[in-house]
Amino acid sequence: MRSLIAALLASTALPACADTIAATSRITAVTVYPDGAKLTREVTFSAPSAGAHELLVTDLPYDSDPGAIRLAPSEGLQVGAFALRADRLPPREDPLTEDQRAAKTAIEAAQGATDQAQLALEAITAKVEAAEAQARFLSSFTGALPDGATPDTIKSMAVMIGTETLAARQAALAAKAELSPARKAVTEAQDALAKAQAAYDSLPSVDMDYTALSVAVNAAEAGEETVTITQYVGNASWQPVYDLNLTREGGDKLVLDRAVLVTQYTGEDWDGVALTLSSSRPAEQAAPSQLWPELRSIGPEETEEDRARKVMGAGDVLYEAAPATVAAPAPTVTAGMGYEGDTVVYHYPEAVTVATGAENLRLALDNLDFAPVVKAVAVPRLDKTAFVMASFTNASAEPLLPGQAMLFREGVLVGQTWLDVIAPGVEIDVGFGAIETLTVKREMPKRAGGETGVFTSANQQSESAVITVENTGTESWPVRILDQVPYSEQDDLEIEVTASPEPSETDVEGQRGILAWEFDLAAGGKQTITLEQVLTWPEGMVLR
C-alpha cells in the first residue's frame, strides 16, 4: 500500500524548501457519519525563520487518502503543494503518550518483581532437589567396609550415614516448606504484571503504522504556527438506540430516551475529542439514478418448428436470428464526500475518547415526550390475548433516525423492535406487549344437526363466529378488535356479511375485508361480537 502511494505521488514535486520541520498532529474534533468520519487535526510547530520550509507531519494513518485531505493554515502562514510520504520516513522519538510511558514503567517494575519471585522459587526448588539427592545417595550406600574395620569403626560409619541422611531429609523438608509462599509470590507477581499490561493496553495509543504528510509552507515571520488538517476516513459509524417508556397512570405518556453507539476501526484512538454526529451519508449515493432508453421490438410469433431448430444447436440453425438489443450500460453511482446539507447534527457537549476497534461507545443524547393514543388491540382469529398499542406523532422538528428500541411498559421491559426513520409530523404505531388480563376468544358454534360453524352446499357456503373479549383485570381499556371476511371482485360471487354490533371501521387501512370494532371495556367486563357470512355462486361453478 505504501509503495503504491509513493509511486502515485512521485510526480508531485514540492518546491525547494530551506529546511524540514518535523511535527506531530492531535485530533481535536471528529464528525461521525453513519458510515465514515471527518477528522480535524491540529499541527502546531515553530518556524525557525521567515520564508519557505517543509512541514513534515509524521503521524497520519498509513492508509490515508491524499484526495480526502484539506489544509487550513493560521494567519500569516501560506501552504503550497503537499503529498503523502510512505517511505524514507524519519524516526519518531517516542510514539507513546505520557500515560503510556507511566504504564510502561509500571509494566517493567512488575516484570522485574516477577523475575525476582521466579528466581527465588527456583533457588528453593534447587535446595529441595539437592537435599533429596543427598538423602537418596546416603540411603543407597552399599560400599565395602574399609580394611581393618572394627566394630567401633562400623558403628561410627552407621551413625554417620544415619545422621547425614536425617539432616538431608530435614533440609529437604525445610526447603519444601518454603515452596508454597514462593509459588504464591510468583502467582501474585504474574497477576500484577497482567494487570499492568491490561492497564497499558487500555490506554489511547499513538503507536501505529503511519505515513507522513509533507507540506510546503511559507511563514511571514519566525514563531509558532498552526496548520489544521481535515481528513475523511472510513471504518467509523454511529447508530441511534432508543428506550421507549410507556406509562398510563395519571394519563397516557410516552417518553423516548435517545442514545447513540459510536464505533471506529480507523487504526488510531480518538482521545478527548469534540464529537459531532451527523446524519449525512457522504459514502452513499448523492445523485439520482440514471434512466436509460429501453428499446423494444416485435417479430413473427415463434412456432414449434422454430423452437425445435433452436434445440438442434448453433450448427444446425436454419433461420436468421432477430437483431439483438444492445444492453444498456450500468447506471453510474456517484457519491460526494464531505457534504453537510440540511441534515440532523448532534454536538456532544463533552470531550470523549473512542478507542479504535475496542468498544461501542454509548453516549446519551436527550429525551422526547409524546402524548400517545393507547389501545388494547386484539386479533382473535390468530391470538388469545390483546396487545398494548401506542400511536404517536413525531411532533419534533427533526426526524427520528432508524435504530433499535427497547420497549418498557410501566418501567418493565416487555420487548424490543426496530424503528424506521420517522419524519416530523408522521404517525407511528408501536406495540408494548401482551395484556394477560385481557383475553379474547373466537368460536364457531355448532349448528342444528351437529355441523360445525362452516356449512357448504353445492353453491353456497355460510360461516358463523362468536368473538368474546373479557377483561379480568382491575383496569379499564379502550379495545380495538380486528377480524376479516372474504371479498369478491366477481358479480356472480355474492358475499353477504352481518355483524352485531356493526363494525366501527371496514376495509381498514385500505385492506378489503378487514373489519374493526372499537369500544371501552371496563374492569371485569365482557363484550361479545357475532359475525356471519354467506357466499353464493351459480351452479356449475367452484368456490376458490
Side-chain angles (χ1 to χ4, degrees):
M1 176 68 181
R2 291 185 175 182
S3 59
L4 176 60
I5 294 176
L8 291 174
L9 299 176
S11 59
T12 305
L14 294 172
C17 297
D19 56 306
T20 298
I21 306 170
T24 58
S25 65
R26 177 179 176 271
I27 300 176
T28 58
V30 177
T31 298
V32 184
Y33 305 105
D35 185 9
K38 178 179 71 173
L39 309 182
T40 300
R41 303 172 180 272
E42 285 191 0
V43 182
T44 301
F45 63 97
S46 180
S49 62
H53 307 278
E54 178 192 15
L55 174 64
L56 193 64
V57 185
T58 60
D59 59 352
L60 266 64
Y62 76 96
D63 57 352
S64 296
D65 179 3
I69 294 177
R70 303 292 182 269
L71 303 180
S74 56
E75 185 176 357
L77 182 71
Q78 294 180 343
V79 297
F82 65 90
L84 290 177
R85 283 175 50 179
D87 55 8
R88 292 181 294 174
L89 298 176
R92 294 185 293 179
E93 294 182 359
D94 192 348
L96 303 181
T97 64
E98 291 294 335
D99 289 341
Q100 280 183 306
R101 282 194 287 271
K104 204 155 191 176
T105 300
I107 290 176
E108 292 170 354
Q111 183 65 63
T114 300
D115 294 342
Q116 290 297 324
Q118 187 65 42
L119 288 173
L121 176 61
E122 291 175 359
I124 295 170
T125 302
K127 288 169 60 178
V128 172
E129 292 174 350
E132 289 180 340
Q134 184 180 7
R136 286 194 301 270
F137 173 77
L138 291 170
S139 62
S140 64
F141 178 74
T142 59
L145 295 173
D147 295 337
T150 64
D152 290 339
T153 304
I154 295 172
K155 183 178 179 180
S156 297
M157 289 181 61
V159 170
M160 182 272 295
I161 292 174
T163 301
E164 293 299 323
T165 301
L166 176 62
R169 292 195 181 280
Q170 287 177 337
L173 290 173
K176 285 182 178 179
E178 300 176 23
L179 281 176
S180 180
R183 287 170 179 159
K184 183 178 180 181
V186 170
T187 300
E188 291 176 348
Q190 289 174 341
D191 290 343
L193 176 59
K195 290 179 180 178
Q197 185 65 52
Y200 174 82
D201 293 340
S202 68
L203 293 173
S205 172
V206 297
D207 188 8
M208 61 175 185
D209 291 336
Y210 70 102
T211 188
L213 178 68
S214 178
V215 186
V217 298
N218 196 306
E221 58 185 18
E224 187 173 281
E225 301 287 356
T226 300
V227 173
T228 300
I229 303 174
T230 300
Q231 180 180 17
Y232 294 89
V233 298
N235 298 324
S237 64
W238 74 276
Q239 65 177 16
V241 289
Y242 302 105
D243 285 348
L244 284 171
N245 300 276
L246 178 66
T247 57
R248 298 197 66 210
E249 185 176 354
D252 296 339
K253 184 178 180 181
L254 181 62
V255 178
L256 184 145
D257 291 317
R258 299 193 290 179
V260 296
L261 293 179
V262 181
T263 306
Q264 63 104 346
Y265 295 88
T266 62
E268 58 182 333
D269 296 327
W270 302 340
D271 184 18
V273 301
L275 181 66
T276 299
L277 304 173
S278 173
S279 62
S280 174
R281 297 179 179 268
E284 295 187 4
Q285 182 172 332
S289 300
Q290 176 71 50
L291 292 176
W292 302 92
E294 182 181 10
L295 175 64
R296 301 298 298 271
S297 62
I298 61 173
E301 185 176 353
E302 191 176 63
T303 65
E304 289 295 332
E305 183 179 358
D306 295 332
R307 284 191 287 272
R309 289 175 177 173
K310 285 185 179 180
V311 176
M312 293 170 61
D316 298 324
V317 174
L318 302 178
Y319 64 94
E320 181 179 355
T325 301
V326 177
T332 302
V333 178
T334 60
M337 178 64 75
Y339 70 90
E340 294 292 339
D342 295 329
T343 57
V344 178
V345 174
Y346 303 100
H347 299 285
Y348 201 70
E350 300 176 355
V352 301
T353 296
V354 187
T356 178
E359 59 191 347
N360 284 325
L361 180 66
R362 178 165 177 148
L363 303 173
L365 288 182
D366 57 9
N367 57 66
L368 300 174
D369 294 333
F370 298 104
V373 176
V374 180
K375 295 179 181 179
V377 180
V379 183
R381 185 182 287 266
L382 302 175
D383 303 322
K384 295 183 178 180
T385 186
F387 294 83
V388 178
M389 294 296 296
S391 301
F392 67 95
T393 300
N394 181 10
S396 67
E398 60 185 87
L400 300 180
L401 302 176
Q404 189 73 26
M406 304 295 287
L407 306 173
F408 297 85
R409 193 174 84 222
E410 307 298 342
V412 178
L413 179 65
V414 295
Q416 58 182 342
T417 189
W418 177 267
L419 295 182
D420 291 324
V421 62
I422 308 173
V426 171
E427 183 178 7
I428 185 174
D429 297 331
V430 179
F432 283 85
I435 311 171
E436 302 298 338
T437 57
L438 208 58
T439 58
V440 294
K441 184 166 53 176
R442 190 179 194 276
E443 299 177 304
M444 302 177 68
K446 291 186 177 182
R447 296 171 176 271
E451 308 97 350
T452 62
V454 179
F455 178 77
T456 304
S457 63
N459 62 342
Q460 188 178 82
Q461 183 187 82
S462 61
E463 176 182 327
S464 62
V466 177
I467 299 172
T468 304
V469 188
E470 185 173 5
N471 186 356
T472 61
T474 59
E475 183 180 8
S476 62
W477 283 94
V479 177
R480 180 177 173 87
I481 300 296
L482 296 171
D483 208 295
Q484 67 181 128
V485 293
Y487 72 95
S488 171
E489 294 182 344
Q490 296 175 297
D491 294 337
D492 289 340
L493 177 57
E494 299 178 359
I495 301 177
E496 181 182 354
V497 176
T498 58
S500 179
E502 290 289 331
S504 308
E505 185 180 352
T506 60
D507 295 343
V508 175
E509 296 181 356
Q511 300 178 88
R512 297 185 62 180
I514 306 299
L515 309 177
W517 291 263
E518 294 192 1
F519 51 86
D520 292 327
L521 191 61
K526 180 186 289 188
Q527 176 71 43
T528 300
I529 300 171
T530 60
L531 182 63
E532 294 189 358
Q533 61 189 44
V534 179
L535 287 73
T536 306
W537 60 92
E539 292 186 5
M541 298 291 185
V542 177
L543 179 64
R544 294 185 176 87

